[in-house]
């Protein structure tokens, strides 16, 4: 005879709906502020400052319970029904395996708070140097973000393991382990019956749950200058150049139950020492945040020019656009990117051709490089190395990878544009062919993929997990980002519009119809 809790039932199927009580949409509160002040040095030049401040809080409830599989229950456990004890004796066994959703436990609550402060000091305007007007835009930016995550109603797994191992001592049901009893262990009935007592819940799910505090900063400085220093036979040559610098830093502090103890992370009143809790961390059922920190800086320089080389009544107008950028990352070295493109306004009324090709990069961000480990419990994880395959509980550790390199993409686009010719006033259309090939794509495998690939003979993934670690350590799978992906795609983009005034119909206003379409011929990942 068992009961139902928050939509889950113990002891077999009732009519409860799995997941009742889980949040469909997080509760969110936002507060934002913005201010700007500017001072005109003269009619062409300004200095300015802006400040942004924001705070966002949210809360939600994941699925109730805490699913566990492969639990060993002793036949002598006083919570085991008499019929099962009789079956144990008849079959000469002393223990059996059990899986449970732990439906009697309260819903998990996740509360987050994020605060952001951003300040910018800049200047923009134009100057006349050597007969050429140069426009400039320069700024320095400082940004700070503080994030706090607090989780309530989460199991401390080592305490749970001791609480479910019950015995009868002096006529009372107690935890079997004397050390656990001396440190407050209260027994838990996972087979069915009454809901856990307040003292049992206080032992299993202390009021101070998983906690993560993140402090992140960004400093950036930039200057960009553009002008038209000279002219050719087809028109003025425009040029832009400049430089940028960016530094990003983050530091994460977590609770000692999740992160483990260290010289900077020690037990305290909120997280007291307990002999059953591992000093290496990963003691929570979920939300095992870890300490971490990382930083990198980027230095960039760029130049771009637009060169008109054709201006003829017979042959139309044409220009060439060329750009280059050199970027030095403190983590992955120097990369070069470039772009070459052009347009041709043909002698045909309203018809323009365009083409561009470029090499582009995306560098790994702070999270991909230095993410502090986050550990999640994966119950009922399939172990394909046994015959037949079995299930077990593993810890999934999501960690950063400082060896990541930038992603590289090569892009090609060719198109034709028809823009309101005299023979079709109000009509515009464009057709573009695109081809994109990305290599060294940053991506990650799931825990299941890592294990499955190892089983199928891909040895590179075999070192990322251990189902039988020494010293009683819980089996684990490490999930990281790698430069392991590639993407190739090509296709066509079509855009068209038609517009006309309604005055001729005696109706005020304007009519416009606009359409977009894409044909993806190939997409391979």
């Amino acid at each position: 005879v068992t009961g139902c809790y928050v939509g889950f039932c113990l002891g077999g199927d009732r009519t409860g709906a799995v997941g009742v009580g889980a949040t469909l949409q997080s509760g969110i509160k936002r507060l934002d502020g913005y201010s700007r002040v500017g001072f005109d040095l003269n009619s062409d030049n300004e200095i300015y400052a802006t400040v942004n401040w924001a705070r966002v809080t949210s809360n939600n409830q994941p699925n109730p319970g805490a699913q566990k599989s492969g639990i060993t229950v002793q036949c002598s456990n006083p919570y085991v029904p008499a019929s099962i004890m009789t079956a144990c004796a008849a079959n000469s066994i002393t223990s059996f395996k059990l899986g449970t959703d732990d439906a009697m436990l309260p819903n998990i609550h996740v509360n987050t708070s994020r605060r952001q402060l951003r300040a910018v000091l800049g200047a923009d305007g134009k100057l006349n140097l050597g007969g050429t007007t140069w426009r400039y835009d320069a700024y320095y930016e400082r940004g700070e973000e503080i994030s706090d995550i607090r989780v309530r109603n989460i199991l401390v797994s080592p305490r749970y393991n001791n609480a479910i191992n019950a015995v009868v001592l002096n006529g009372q049901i107690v935890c079997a382990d004397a050390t656990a009893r001396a440190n407050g262990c209260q027994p838990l009935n996972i087979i069915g019956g009454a809901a856990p007592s307040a003292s049992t819940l206080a032992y299993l799910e202390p009021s101070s749950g998983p906690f993560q505090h993140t402090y992140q900063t960004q400093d950036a400085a930039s200057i960009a200058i553009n002008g038209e220093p000279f002219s050719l036979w087809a028109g003025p040559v425009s040029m832009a150049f400049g430089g940028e610098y960016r530094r990003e830093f983050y530091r994460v502090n977590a609770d000692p139950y999740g992160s483990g103890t260290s010289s900077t992370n020690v037990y305290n009143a909120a997280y007291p020492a307990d002999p059953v809790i591992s000093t290496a961390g990963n003691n929570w059922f979920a939300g095992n945040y870890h300490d971490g920190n990382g930083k990198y800086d980027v230095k960039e320089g760029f130049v771009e020019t637009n060169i008109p080389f054709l201006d003829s009544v017979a042959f139309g107008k044409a220009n060439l656009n060329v750009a280059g950028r050199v970027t030095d990352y403190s983590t992955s070295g120097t990369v070069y990117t470039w772009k070459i493109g052009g347009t041709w306004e043909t002698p045909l009324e309203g018809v323009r051709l365009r083409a561009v090709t470029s090499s582009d990069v995306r560098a790994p961000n702070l999270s991909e490089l230095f993410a502090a480990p986050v550990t999640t419990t994966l119950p009922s994880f399939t172990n394909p190395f046994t015959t037949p395959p079995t299930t077990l509980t593993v810890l999934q550790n999501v960690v950063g990878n400082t060896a990541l390199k930038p992603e590289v993409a090569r892009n090609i686009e060719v198109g034709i544009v028809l823009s309101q010719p005299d023979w079709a006033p109000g009509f515009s259309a464009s057709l573009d062919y695109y081809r994109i090939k990305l290599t060294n794509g940053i991506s990650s495998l799931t825990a299941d993929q890592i294990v499955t690939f190892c089983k199928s003979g891909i040895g590179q993934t075999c070192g990322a997990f251990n189902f039988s670690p020494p010293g009683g350590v819980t089996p684990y799978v490490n999930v990281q980002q790698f430069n392991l992906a590639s993407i190739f795609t090509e296709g066509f983009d079509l855009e068209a519009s038609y517009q006309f005034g309604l005055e001729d119909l005696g109706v005020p206003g304007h009519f416009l119809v606009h359409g977009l379409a894409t044909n993806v011929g190939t997409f391979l990942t």
Side-chain angles (χ1 to χ4, degrees):
V1 177
T2 59
C4 291
Y5 311 84
V6 293
F8 278 159
C9 296
L10 294 174
D13 184 25
R14 294 287 182 92
T15 58
V18 173
V20 168
T23 302
L24 293 178
Q25 183 175 356
S26 296
I28 299 177
K29 294 182 180 179
R30 294 187 178 94
L31 183 64
D32 299 278
Y34 171 79
S35 64
R36 185 185 191 277
V37 59
F39 178 74
D40 290 335
L41 300 174
N42 53 44
S43 60
D44 293 328
N45 298 278
E46 177 199 35
I47 58 175
Y48 63 89
T50 66
V51 176
N52 299 72
W53 180 88
R55 180 177 181 180
V56 179
T57 60
S58 63
N59 63 85
N60 66 81
Q61 292 183 170
N63 278 346
Q67 189 183 83
K68 296 280 189 176
S69 63
I71 299 172
T72 299
V73 178
Q74 301 299 320
C75 294
S76 58
N77 190 308
Y79 291 125
V80 173
S83 59
I84 297 180
M85 288 185 177
T86 301
C88 287
N91 291 276
S92 300
I93 60 174
T94 60
S95 65
F96 58 91
K97 296 291 186 180
L98 178 70
T100 175
D101 284 325
D102 285 309
M104 67 287 192
L105 300 176
N107 281 350
I108 299 168
H109 284 253
V110 181
N111 295 273
T112 64
S113 172
R114 295 178 174 88
R115 290 163 287 166
Q116 182 190 53
L117 178 65
R118 181 179 184 268
V120 179
L121 179 64
D124 57 43
K126 60 183 179 179
L127 299 171
N128 191 294
L129 300 174
T132 300
T133 298
W134 294 97
R135 298 184 179 275
Y136 67 90
D137 183 1
Y139 70 87
Y140 167 74
E141 176 260 351
R142 168 73 176 188
E144 296 184 359
E145 183 186 42
I146 298 174
S147 299
D148 291 312
I149 302 176
R150 297 182 183 273
V151 186
R152 294 187 292 113
N153 300 341
I154 284 282
L155 282 176
V156 179
S157 293
R159 290 182 177 177
Y160 175 88
N161 295 336
N162 280 286
I164 64 175
N165 185 19
V167 296
V168 176
L169 185 65
N170 298 324
Q172 299 290 324
I173 299 178
V174 297
C175 301
D177 187 272
T179 301
R181 286 202 308 273
N183 286 273
C185 182
Q186 299 291 315
L188 174 67
N189 180 4
I190 60 172
I191 297 177
S197 66
S199 60
T200 298
L201 284 178
Y203 175 73
L204 295 174
E205 300 180 346
S207 58
S208 296
F211 170 72
Q212 182 188 65
H213 174 79
T214 302
Y215 175 67
Q216 186 170 344
T217 66
Q218 181 188 77
D219 294 273
S222 170
I223 182 169
I225 301 171
N226 68 83
E228 297 178 346
F230 60 92
S231 295
L232 296 177
W233 58 92
V237 174
S238 58
M239 179 177 292
F241 57 91
E244 299 177 0
Y245 172 81
R246 187 174 79 255
R247 180 183 184 272
E248 298 196 22
F249 163 83
Y250 97 110
R251 181 181 67 248
V252 173
N253 299 109
D255 66 274
Y257 286 6
S259 181
T261 57
S262 66
S263 59
T264 58
N265 197 340
V266 298
Y267 293 132
N268 51 53
Y271 302 94
D274 185 339
V276 305
I277 291 177
S278 171
T279 57
N282 297 333
N283 291 286
W284 301 105
F285 171 77
N288 286 291
Y289 304 112
H290 292 256
D291 294 347
N293 64 84
K295 63 180 180 180
Y296 71 86
D297 60 77
V298 185
K299 298 182 285 292
E300 296 185 277
F302 67 90
V303 62
E304 182 173 0
T305 183
N306 188 69
I307 305 171
F309 62 89
L310 180 63
D311 188 357
S312 165
V313 175
F315 298 101
K317 297 181 179 181
N319 69 282
L320 179 68
N321 182 265
V322 180
R325 179 181 290 259
V326 57
T327 307
D328 180 70
Y329 297 97
S330 61
T331 53
S332 53
T334 303
V335 295
Y336 300 90
T337 56
W338 51 266
K339 178 186 72 170
I340 300 175
T343 61
W344 177 29
E345 294 185 14
T346 71
L348 300 175
E349 177 66 30
V351 177
R352 183 171 72 252
L353 302 179
R354 59 190 180 190
V356 64
T357 181
S358 64
S359 176
D360 308 293
V361 301
R362 186 191 76 86
N365 57 38
L366 272 177
S367 177
E368 292 165 337
L369 289 167
F370 305 109
V374 176
T375 300
T376 305
T377 302
L378 300 181
S380 303
F381 191 86
T382 300
N383 179 3
F385 295 93
T386 60
T387 304
T390 56
T391 60
L392 73 167
T393 297
V394 303
L395 298 179
Q396 175 181 275
N397 304 308
V398 179
V399 297
N401 183 359
T402 57
L404 289 174
K405 302 296 182 182
E407 300 176 335
V408 179
R410 179 66 189 278
N411 306 309
I412 298 174
E413 185 172 349
V414 179
I416 181 171
V417 179
L418 179 64
S419 180
Q420 300 191 37
D422 291 340
W423 49 269
F427 178 73
S428 297
S430 64
L431 177 66
D432 293 281
Y433 165 78
Y434 65 86
R435 185 181 190 273
I436 303 171
K437 183 177 182 180
L438 183 144
T439 57
N440 282 339
I442 297 172
S443 186
S444 63
L445 302 173
T446 66
D448 283 319
Q449 288 175 322
I450 288 172
V451 174
T452 301
F453 287 163
C454 176
K455 172 65 174 177
S456 64
I458 302 176
Q460 293 92 322
T461 67
C462 294
F465 65 93
N466 192 335
F467 289 158
S468 302
V473 176
T474 303
Y476 64 86
V477 181
N478 291 330
V479 176
Q480 282 184 294
Q481 303 264 27
F482 294 96
N483 291 102
L484 57 81
S486 66
I487 297 174
F488 174 76
T489 183
E490 62 178 347
F492 291 90
D493 288 328
L494 174 64
E495 182 174 0
S497 64
Y498 182 59
Q499 56 184 327
F500 60 89
L502 299 175
E503 293 84 0
D504 294 341
L505 301 177
V507 179
H510 197 77
F511 177 85
L512 169 67
V513 60
H514 183 214
L516 295 168
T518 295
N519 173 266
V520 181
T522 303
F523 190 91
L524 297 174
T525 62

